[in-house]
């Protein structure tokens, strides 16, 4: 199961026949997911026991959306959390290696970063790699969107990047 942050990326994966090459189901929450999408992802994960990967931007909001799925809602006591969800989104080494376009962090991004740093999730050692990704955003003052992979080629995301990330376990 691949959960995609953005509708445009979701549509690209569908158009490119991603699910035919990598047996999977893809779903989008259109950014911060509504409750019904989180419930669906949780139910599929628990019922079928399939791995769940989250495909998100390399930015504080991408990480925050990932945590919305992974930790569930604080207001609902973590209900519908998908604790085993893997962060499959862009990582700093991908950005550097592929020389992807970045954008400056906005004030809103910096507020999201500060809010995330106060989350006890990032105090645990097993979450250090994701925290390092956040710290790299803050240190460089930049973020990158999944669409930047289209600079490599329009099908790079579905034909190369995503299959390699999944098959070679290049997720967090």
């Amino acid at each position: 199961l691949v959960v995609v942050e953005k509708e445009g990326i979701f549509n690209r994966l569908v158009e490119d026949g991603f699910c035919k090459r990598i047996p999977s189901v893809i779903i989008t929450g259109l950014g911060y997911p509504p409750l019904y999408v989180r419930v669906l992802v949780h139910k599929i994960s628990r019922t079928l026991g399939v791995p769940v990967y989250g495909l998100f931007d390399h930015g504080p909001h991408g990480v925050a959306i990932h945590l919305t799925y992974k930790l569930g809602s604080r207001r609902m006591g973590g209900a519908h959390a998908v604790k085993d969800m893997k962060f499959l989104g862009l990582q700093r080494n991908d950005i550097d290696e592929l020389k992807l376009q970045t954008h400056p962090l906005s004030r809103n991004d910096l507020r999201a970063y500060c809010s995330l740093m106060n989350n006890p999730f990032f105090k645990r050692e097993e979450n250090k790699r994701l925290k390092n990704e956040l710290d790299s955003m803050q240190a460089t003052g930049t973020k990158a969107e999944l669409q930047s992979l289209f600079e490599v080629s329009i099908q790079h995301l579905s034909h190369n990047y995503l299959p390699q990330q999944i098959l070679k376990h290049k997720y967090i």
Side-chain angles (χ1 to χ4, degrees):
L1 177 62
V2 179
V3 180
V4 182
E5 175 182 356
K6 295 180 171 177
E7 183 180 23
I9 299 295
F10 172 86
N11 290 337
R12 178 84 257 156
L13 293 173
V14 171
E15 288 171 20
D16 289 349
F18 175 77
C19 294
K20 291 177 184 170
R21 284 191 316 288
I22 302 287
S24 56
V25 172
I26 55 175
I27 187 169
T28 182
L30 304 171
Y32 285 94
L35 179 60
Y36 69 87
V37 172
R38 296 191 323 258
V39 169
L40 177 64
V41 170
H42 179 260
K43 284 201 179 284
I44 291 172
S45 170
R46 289 193 65 207
T47 304
L48 300 179
V50 296
V52 180
Y53 304 99
L55 184 59
F56 306 107
D57 286 340
H58 186 266
H61 290 285
V63 173
I65 293 167
H66 169 69
L67 292 184
T68 300
Y69 287 101
K70 186 172 184 81
L71 304 178
S73 168
R74 281 186 235 160
R75 285 184 298 168
M76 297 180 72
H80 314 299
V82 183
K83 295 181 187 335
D84 294 332
M85 180 182 232
K86 307 293 186 217
F87 183 86
L88 193 60
L90 284 175
Q91 297 173 40
R92 177 57 56 187
N93 62 331
D94 302 322
I95 295 165
D96 296 341
E97 191 176 295
L98 296 170
K99 296 176 179 31
L100 299 177
Q101 181 181 12
T102 60
H103 303 281
L105 293 174
S106 67
R107 284 188 177 147
N108 191 24
D109 291 322
L110 292 171
R111 279 193 293 274
Y113 169 82
C114 290
S115 176
L116 286 166
M117 288 297 98
N118 290 323
N119 189 320
F121 176 85
F122 290 108
K123 308 290 187 242
R124 296 194 298 262
E125 185 64 28
E126 66 266 22
N127 302 319
K128 186 175 182 174
R129 286 183 56 212
L130 192 55
K131 182 184 182 304
N132 289 343
E133 289 297 323
L134 272 171
D135 288 341
S136 78
M137 296 169 205
Q138 196 272 339
T140 61
T142 61
K143 62 184 177 181
E145 296 182 344
L146 290 164
Q147 294 92 313
S148 65
L149 289 165
F150 298 158
E151 296 168 18
V152 178
S153 83
I154 194 70
Q155 294 181 326
H156 184 72
L157 172 67
S158 58
H159 286 253
N160 302 101
Y161 181 81
L162 198 50
Q164 287 177 16
Q165 296 295 95
I166 293 172
L167 298 174
K168 294 182 178 181
H169 305 282
K170 291 184 167 185
Y171 43 75
I172 299 174

